[in-house]
């Protein structure tokens, strides 16, 4: 196929027919985040390459292999963001938000870019919902952030996700662990991939995160971090677990989780599904107490998570969870003749101003062809508007499902159609519905 009509490998189009699912998820996560006090932050798609080298870490897969980095025309090294934390922390520092009430709670829906091998659940452009809580060191914060992710899954009705939890300690206790890991991996040196051979000196824990089958199988028998963490980190971890118990959030401790960023400390977690293939991690996050300092700020203990909305959608599909599909067209007005076409244009304009999804003919089709089109776009009601109807000031509105017709005054249709629609759609509730003072458009959005 010609290049111009083929999207780049690892990218996806989301077509109008499907977009309602994304929109529903986006609205849901922002609404839930708002309840927890997380407010949206928007940062640029690209940043200085150095931000990610420092903020994600030189020994990570992301920085070593996956970044879209290029020089711009001014000769600066620019990188398309591979994740959201670094940009959020940069903004926190640049705008002095550390002087505001802490914790600062951010959330975002962003596209991320990683040069990875495209496969099911792994794209080169993908969307993440992320949250960051800056300036909160206590275990209650960890539990709160985890419970936010948990609530999103619960709200959407997703089942069978396993919350896997680990603590990777602090830089102090990790020293001993690094030594133990080094000792272990030294004996397997010949089998490690070239990248991990380099990590052996700089950051042996990264080897546990390697995707190569050989390295990950060697990693299975490596010493476990939980045997090495200090008393304070251990007490912190115990407390996180106690909060989760108290909140009835189930988890399993998985000592193999180390996560993909270098600056993670203490709690790390993943929500993992077995239903969407090999890329089963729908959400991953943890504490990064060292990151703000690493980027030039004070010591600001912080944490967050990233949730891949594409993987979440795959999971919803696997579990056959239907998301509400908004109606594209509440009323289609089919004019017959030029005069009626002008009238129809005026009526749909009034209907739309009143919150109704109204459409009319804009291509000069015959009545038959218009009805076919109305059917295709899923119009709930149709109305044929001819010279007779205009002369009488009345027309029939037809329910496309039941075939039932209702006569309406043309001069009042814009004012009355919303209430008519709500009454029709909620007819099961009975005729005596009192709609006085109720926001009808809000109801309409729900039915
Ligand atoms: P993985 O182990 O799957 O590579 P990761 O540790 O690199 O994940 P994070 O950087 O923690 O992932 O990103 C958070 C979430 O973003 C992941 O849990 C996943 O849902 C999603 N994600 C990461 N990379 C991709 C990708 N290439 N395509 C689609 N979603 C992704
Ligand atoms: Mg990855």
């Amino acid at each position: 196929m010609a290049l111009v009509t083929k999207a780049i490998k690892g990218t996806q189009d989301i077509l109008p027919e499907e977009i309602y699912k994304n929109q529903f998820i986006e609205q849901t996560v922002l609404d839930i985040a708002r309840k927890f006090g997380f407010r949206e932050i928007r940062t640029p798609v690209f940043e200085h390459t150095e931000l990610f080298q420092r903020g994600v870490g030189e020994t990570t897969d992301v920085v070593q292999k996956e970044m879209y980095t290029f020089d711009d025309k001014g000769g600066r090294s620019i990188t398309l963001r591979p994740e959201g934390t670094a940009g959020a922390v940069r903004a926190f520092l640049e705008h002095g938000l550390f002087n505001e009430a802490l914790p600062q709670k951010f959330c975002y829906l962003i596209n991320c870019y990683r040069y990875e091998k495209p496969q099911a659940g792994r794209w080169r452009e993908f969307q993440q919902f992320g949250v960051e809580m800056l300036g909160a060191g206590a275990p209650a914060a960890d539990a709160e952030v985890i419970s936010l992710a948990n609530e999103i899954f619960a709200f959407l009705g997703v089942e069978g996700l396993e919350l896997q939890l680990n603590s990777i300690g602090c830089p102090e206790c990790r020293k001993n662990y690094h030594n133990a890991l080094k000792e272990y991996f030294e004996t397997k040196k010949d089998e490690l991939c070239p990248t991990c051979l380099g990590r052996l000196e700089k950051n042996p824990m990264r080897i546990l995160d390697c995707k190569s089958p050989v390295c990950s199988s060697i990693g299975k028998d490596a010493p476990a971090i939980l045997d090495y963490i200090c008393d304070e980190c251990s007490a912190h971890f115990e407390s996180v677990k106690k909060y989760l118990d108290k909140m009835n959030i189930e988890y399993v401790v998985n000592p193999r989780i180390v996560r993909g960023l270098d600056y993670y400390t203490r709690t790390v977690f993943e929500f993992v599904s077995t239903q969407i293939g090999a890329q089963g991690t729908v959400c991953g996050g943890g504490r990064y107490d060292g990151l703000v300092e690493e980027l030039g700020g004070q010591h600001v203990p912080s944490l967050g998570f990233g949730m891949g909305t594409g993987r979440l959608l795959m999971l919803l599909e696997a579990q056959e969870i239907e998301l509400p599909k908004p109606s594209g067209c509440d009323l289609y007005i089919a004019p017959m003749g030029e005069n009626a076409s002008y009238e129809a244009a005026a009526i749909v304009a009034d209907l739309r101003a009143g919150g109704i999804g109204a459409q009319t003919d804009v291509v000069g089709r015959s009545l038959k062809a218009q009805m076919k089109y109305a059917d295709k776009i899923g119009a709930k009601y149709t109305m044929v508007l001819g010279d007779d109807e205009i002369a009488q000031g009345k027309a029939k509105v037809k329910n496309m499902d039941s075939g039932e017709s209702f006569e309406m005054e043309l001069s009042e249709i814009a004012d009355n159609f919303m209430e008519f629609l709500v009454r029709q759609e909620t007819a099961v509730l009975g005729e005596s519905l009192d709609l006085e003072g109720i926001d009808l458009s809000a109801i309409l959005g729900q039915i």
Side-chain angles (χ1 to χ4, degrees), residues 61-62 66 114 116 122 211 311:
D61 266 359
V62 169
E66 300 171 0
R114 297 186 191 178
E116 299 196 78
R122 199 178 283 295
K211 296 281 187 311
R311 289 187 195 175

Side-chain angles (χ1 to χ4, degrees), residues 114 116 121-123 126 128 211 259-261 279 281-284 306-308 311:
R114 297 186 191 178
E116 299 196 78
R122 199 178 283 295
W123 302 277
F126 62 97
Q128 246 188 29
K211 296 281 187 311
R259 307 283 312 126
L261 277 81
Q279 320 308 325
T281 306
V282 180
C283 174
M307 185 183 287
R311 289 187 195 175

Side-chain angles (χ1 to χ4, degrees), residues 1-9 11 13:
M1 207 188 290
L3 273 183
V4 287
T5 51
K6 183 117 187 69
I8 287 181
K9 204 173 156 186
T11 67
D13 296 314

Side-chain angles (χ1 to χ4, degrees), residues 16 22 91 111 117 193 200 207 238 253 264 270 296 325 333 388 431 447:
N22 296 72
N111 279 357
K117 189 163 168 260
C193 77
L200 193 53
I207 302 173
E238 288 309 310
V253 173
Y264 274 112
E270 292 185 355
K325 189 174 186 175
I333 300 184
D388 285 354
E431 280 297 311
I447 55 181

